[in-house]
Amino acid sequence: MRLLILAAALAASTLPPRLAGAQHVLGAGQDATTPRRGVLRTTVSGENVLLRGRWADGAAQELGAGLSVPLGPNNVIALGALNGLVGGLVSTNLTPSLGSTKVDLRQRLAFTRLGFEYGVTDRLALRVQAPFVRARTEALLRLNPEGATAGLNPTLTGSGVAVGNRAVVDAYQNAVASLTSRRDACAGDPGAFPECATINAEAALVDAAIQRGAQFATALTNIYGADGLGEGQRYVPIAGSGLEALFVGIGDGLRTDFTRWGVNDVTASTGLPLGAQTPVTAGELARLLAAEEGDGFAARPLTRAARQDLGDVDVGLTLTLFDAYPSDSARRAISGLGFRQSVAVTYRLGGGNFDLPDNLIDLGTGSGHDAIALHSYTDVLLNDRFWATVTVAWALGAAHERVLRIPTRQGDDLIPVQRQLPVRITPASMLELRLAPRYRLNDYFTFGGEWRFRTRGEDEVRAIGSSLVAPAGLTVPSGDGAMQTPSNSNEHRWAWHVVYTTLGAESRGRARLPLELVYTHEQSVGSTRGIVPRRWEDRVALRFYTRLFGR
């Protein structure tokens, strides 16, 4: 806002009367006109952007939906190890879960833009624009324990738990040793034990039970931990959960078989090692997010983030190809259907900073890579009060390198540090269509609207020097392979404008200062593909005209 005031003061102090020329049939944004030769059009604007949610393949979601996800084997490395141990015992679709996260997220962007457009000739103009970007994010992280099947291992908090676990493991190991001894004895002497006839008749079942019992004892040690044998996993099945019920079922089946063959080391009171007594707490979730060791996300706290920097700088040329009203007098006397056509080329100097991979709620301040864009502007004028601009734009970014965390599922933002790696990104092209009708009420006020459709393809991402395979099968290969990212998307936006202008009055000698003051509200209204933020934007822009170098 200070820049707006400064620019207005500069315009008022430097402009002699009627220096801008009669360019009063103009819109709130870019159109097919260029400043007259020697005229400098300066634009200073302030823009506030509120992200109110996101589109996910056409469905409206809360902004924090990518962080409000189940905590399971795909994103909690420790649960992945637990899931592997469970899967080695029994085939089941029940996977360990710590519950799910719920993140309330607020994100804002503020832009202060300064732009210059200089008329090199009456048909050719040079354009430069640079934004200063401020990004701010606030988040509230909560834990929803509903559906949790795993919790913190009691061996980490309770004394004597590992000793009790060892007694359970020993019972199964002793049962396996006893049954092995009986099997061998009965094979040499059918009368060695009363159960020998059954053991010899069911030799294959006995061998399977011995193998299954040894595997179960090892799994209990690896999962729960046992004194002198191992520490176990950080997360274990919650007592009474469906996950623990799988272990209870295996233990009951082994006890029944062992008893049938005369082995009584495992009894109904043997049970299982001590499971988690409650789901994980908010404190444990905070530790999991911050931890840099094997099971953590190595992420910054999900509380707030703020950044500011110079964003992308655009430099371009605009060339008028056709203008049905080339003179000032013709522009003032528009009475029938007419057209203006111009084309532009813009080179973007990538500025700002990427969002940080260890800050899961961060907003970047720029693209960070160069790009080129081509534009076509067509003004269709019915008269001096009503006209519309049709814009077609195509843009392509340059290949660049950065560090990313690769999701296992499109739209997820809660990604463990183990999935962070340097990648090379080759951006896909972007196509944008705009239709902007405008109505000039009088010499001072113009109203308008705008519909915008933007679509882009999938960026190509290649790992640098390594490959990464997700549990769900999503791969970021190096070499000739490539992973397609969720960049494949489209979006519809609409906007409305109110313009206060003195250009028409200045051309008639009724105003001294040729300027435009524009208010624009724009918002995202739909998407059918990809992950797209739902943006609400409010902009105030001041455009004024001066002659440069006294020309």
Side-chain angles (χ1 to χ4, degrees):
M1 190 56 67
R2 291 180 180 177
L3 282 177
L4 288 175
I5 296 173
L6 178 61
L10 178 64
S13 64
T14 61
L15 289 180
R18 308 188 59 152
L19 286 187
Q23 302 186 65
H24 61 279
V25 186
L26 300 176
Q30 186 69 42
D31 50 34
T33 63
T34 56
R36 294 300 191 194
R37 178 174 179 269
V39 172
L40 178 67
R41 178 159 62 187
T42 302
T43 302
V44 186
S45 66
E47 179 178 341
N48 182 64
V49 180
L50 174 63
L51 304 186
R52 300 174 63 95
R54 71 178 195 174
W55 305 105
D57 290 331
Q61 294 182 341
E62 294 183 357
L63 187 59
L67 296 168
S68 302
V69 298
L71 295 172
N74 280 352
N75 52 19
V76 180
I77 299 302
L79 290 183
L82 176 58
N83 192 51
L85 293 170
V86 173
L89 293 174
V90 59
S91 178
T92 176
N93 292 325
L94 183 61
T95 56
S97 171
L98 299 181
S100 59
T101 56
K102 171 64 175 175
V103 177
D104 297 323
L105 190 61
R106 295 174 179 268
Q107 292 181 322
R108 291 181 180 273
L109 289 163
F111 297 86
T112 302
R113 303 181 190 271
L114 180 61
F116 300 97
E117 189 172 6
Y118 177 67
V120 180
T121 70
D122 284 347
R123 290 181 175 270
L124 179 66
L126 173 66
R127 295 184 293 111
V128 179
Q129 179 179 268
F132 181 76
V133 186
R134 289 164 292 173
R136 181 177 180 181
T137 301
E138 296 178 349
L140 175 62
L141 170 65
R142 291 174 288 174
L143 177 65
N144 180 7
E146 183 177 353
T149 59
L152 197 63
N153 193 334
T155 59
L156 300 175
T157 58
S159 60
V161 175
V163 175
N165 290 352
R166 176 64 184 264
V168 175
V169 172
D170 285 347
Y172 284 99
Q173 289 180 336
N174 292 338
V176 169
S178 298
L179 183 56
T180 301
S181 177
R182 282 178 175 247
R183 178 199 62 185
D184 296 342
C186 290
D189 181 5
F193 295 97
E195 298 81 13
C196 279
T198 303
I199 291 174
N200 288 335
E202 300 174 351
L205 295 177
V206 171
D207 290 344
I210 291 172
Q211 182 179 359
R212 191 166 66 253
Q215 182 183 15
F216 189 56
T218 300
L220 292 181
T221 301
N222 291 336
I223 292 173
Y224 292 92
D227 185 45
L229 297 179
E231 296 181 356
Q233 302 298 310
R234 184 172 186 84
Y235 304 115
V236 298
I238 295 176
S241 68
L243 191 60
E244 188 186 65
L246 295 176
F247 290 81
V248 171
I250 296 172
D252 288 346
L254 286 171
R255 186 181 73 249
T256 299
D257 289 343
F258 289 154
T259 302
R260 172 182 173 80
W261 297 314
V263 175
N264 298 309
D265 296 272
V266 178
T267 67
S269 62
T270 299
L272 294 172
L274 186 63
Q277 301 304 294
T278 63
V280 297
T281 64
E284 172 60 19
L285 178 58
R287 186 213 65 84
L288 180 64
L289 286 173
E292 297 184 2
E293 56 264 23
D295 69 330
F297 285 85
R300 303 187 187 193
L302 299 185
T303 53
R304 61 176 56 89
R307 305 177 73 184
Q308 57 184 21
D309 205 346
L310 180 67
D312 300 328
V313 177
D314 292 336
V315 179
L317 289 171
T318 303
L319 175 65
T320 299
L321 300 179
F322 175 78
D323 189 349
Y325 311 101
S327 67
D328 291 350
S329 59
R331 290 187 179 188
R332 287 194 296 268
I334 295 173
S335 59
L337 182 66
F339 299 90
R340 289 192 295 238
Q341 174 67 47
S342 65
V343 294
V345 58
T346 301
Y347 191 83
R348 182 180 66 193
L349 302 172
N353 289 294
F354 296 126
D355 50 304
L356 300 174
D358 65 339
N359 192 335
L360 305 182
I361 61 173
D362 189 27
L363 282 174
T365 55
S367 68
H369 64 276
D370 294 355
I372 190 169
L374 304 176
H375 309 261
S376 169
Y377 304 105
T378 305
D379 290 344
V380 181
L381 296 91
L382 298 182
N383 50 54
D384 63 349
R385 292 188 179 273
F386 183 78
W387 75 105
T389 299
V390 179
T391 304
V392 180
W394 173 89
L396 180 64
H400 56 283
E401 297 179 1
R402 61 174 299 187
V403 176
L404 287 179
R405 293 194 179 190
I406 307 301
T408 59
R409 186 179 63 177
Q410 178 172 306
D412 282 358
D413 297 322
L414 191 60
I415 308 170
V417 67
Q418 289 79 5
R419 299 195 55 76
Q420 178 174 307
L421 76 169
V423 297
R424 181 173 177 82
I425 301 175
T426 303
S429 62
M430 184 274 292
L431 179 66
E432 183 177 86
L433 306 175
R434 294 193 189 194
L435 175 61
R438 288 100 177 226
Y439 177 75
R440 186 173 67 89
L441 182 64
N442 52 41
D443 271 355
Y444 296 97
F445 288 98
T446 299
F447 301 93
E450 182 177 283
W451 166 81
R452 182 197 305 190
F453 175 72
R454 176 181 293 177
T455 181
R456 62 173 299 177
E458 291 181 307
D459 297 346
E460 183 183 84
V461 178
R462 298 178 185 271
I464 299 175
S466 63
S467 297
L468 178 65
V469 180
L474 186 64
T475 304
V476 187
S478 57
D480 295 332
M483 184 200 78
Q484 303 302 325
T485 70
S487 56
N488 186 14
S489 61
N490 62 34
E491 181 188 16
H492 294 268
R493 295 189 191 183
W494 67 264
W496 56 269
H497 320 279
V498 178
V499 183
Y500 172 77
T501 176
T502 64
L503 297 188
E506 185 270 342
S507 68
R508 292 177 171 86
R510 299 176 183 175
R512 178 179 184 276
L513 190 65
L515 61 80
E516 299 161 294
L517 184 62
V518 185
Y519 171 77
T520 302
H521 173 78
E522 180 176 320
Q523 67 185 65
S524 174
V525 295
S527 172
T528 61
R529 187 179 74 244
I531 306 297
V532 181
R534 291 192 292 142
R535 299 164 61 105
W536 285 50
E537 305 179 14
D538 291 283
R539 295 189 293 273
V540 177
L542 174 66
R543 296 193 301 197
F544 59 89
Y545 298 76
T546 58
R547 286 198 179 276
L548 199 60
F549 309 125
R551 298 176 63 179

